Amino acid sequence: MKHLRHIYLGLAAAAAFVSCQQATYPLFFLTESDTAEAGASFNILYNGVYYNRMPMLSLKHFNKFRSFLNNDGSYGVVLYTKEEYRSRLYTQTLNNGGNKLLPVVNGLAMPPMLIDAPIGDGKLVIWNGLNGYDLKMIGETLSPVHPEIEEKRYRDEDPRPKREIPKGVKVKRDATGRMIPQLFSEE
């Protein structure tokens, strides 16, 4: 009986430890889908284009970042892929040449990018649309290349209002009638 108690206490401690770990900031990249026929199980819709629901890369696949300021006041960011994922980035961009790559940050779609060449240097860029809160949250997972610059850009609160589904949006359904999830931009 004592043995079982120790097992339960160990499991409870492990569960408490896991629940205390902070989830990484939801930042990921989706590739354009070859077909819309895969339906709701495998696709997500953004501005009339279907993207694969499974991200090509997410924040956990990167180790460093560097931000830059755009003319519109938003930030862009260069994400440096971990060494073990560089071949994945290269292969995915090689195989998806001519398709779009959609960055999604905290549930908000950023401007899609055209994959015009394979990425061999391990750097993936989100060109604009980020704010200081995004940078701070990215900085909690990744190491900044220039910490002294990045920390000045950090903001504690997200200035974006909570997103709601825009009015007049028609629900898209696949051939079986399941609702296809949609992403929206800030506009």
Side-chain angles (χ1 to χ4, degrees):
M1 193 65 166
K2 269 188 170 181
H3 184 64
L4 284 174
R5 188 178 316 158
H6 290 298
I7 291 173
Y8 286 128
L9 285 174
L11 289 173
F17 177 73
V18 169
S19 68
C20 292
Q21 289 181 339
Q22 184 178 3
T24 59
Y25 194 57
L27 183 150
F28 50 89
F29 294 87
L30 303 175
T31 54
E32 186 176 353
S33 178
D34 292 336
T35 178
E37 294 172 8
S41 299
F42 301 104
N43 285 332
I44 196 161
L45 185 63
Y46 175 69
N47 284 349
V49 178
Y50 290 92
Y51 292 89
N52 294 316
R53 226 172 161 179
M54 178 64 78
M56 176 180 80
L57 293 171
S58 64
L59 198 58
K60 69 181 180 180
H61 298 108
F62 301 95
N63 59 2
K64 297 185 295 186
F65 78 100
R66 178 180 53 84
S67 68
F68 54 91
L69 184 61
N70 287 303
N71 291 337
D72 65 359
S74 71
Y75 293 103
V77 69
V78 179
L79 299 165
Y80 296 83
T81 312
K82 290 179 181 176
E83 191 68 39
E84 60 266 26
Y85 296 109
R86 285 190 179 183
S87 63
R88 177 193 287 186
L89 177 61
Y90 178 79
T91 305
Q92 288 288 325
T93 53
L94 177 68
N95 293 338
N96 287 294
N99 288 344
K100 293 178 183 173
L101 184 63
L102 181 68
V104 179
V105 179
N106 198 18
L108 186 67
M110 297 292 141
M113 303 174 286
L114 180 66
I115 302 172
D116 57 357
I119 299 173
D121 63 359
K123 297 176 189 174
L124 201 49
V125 180
I126 298 176
W127 292 101
N128 60 5
L130 301 177
N131 59 43
Y133 177 77
D134 296 322
L135 297 179
K136 179 182 179 191
M137 297 308 290
I138 291 169
E140 289 184 3
T141 303
L142 307 180
S143 302
V145 174
H146 303 292
E148 62 284 350
I149 294 172
E150 300 303 337
E151 289 173 5
K152 293 176 185 175
R153 296 177 173 172
Y154 291 168
R155 298 291 174 256
D156 290 329
E157 294 185 23
D158 191 353
R160 293 184 192 108
K162 188 173 177 170
R163 290 171 299 282
E164 296 179 13
I165 296 175
K167 294 181 189 228
V169 170
K170 244 181 134 176
V171 174
K172 304 284 183 184
R173 298 191 182 274
D174 67 6
T176 63
R178 291 177 295 185
M179 188 176 86
I180 297 175
Q182 295 184 57
L183 284 171
F184 303 99
S185 64
E186 200 170 18
E187 300 164 352

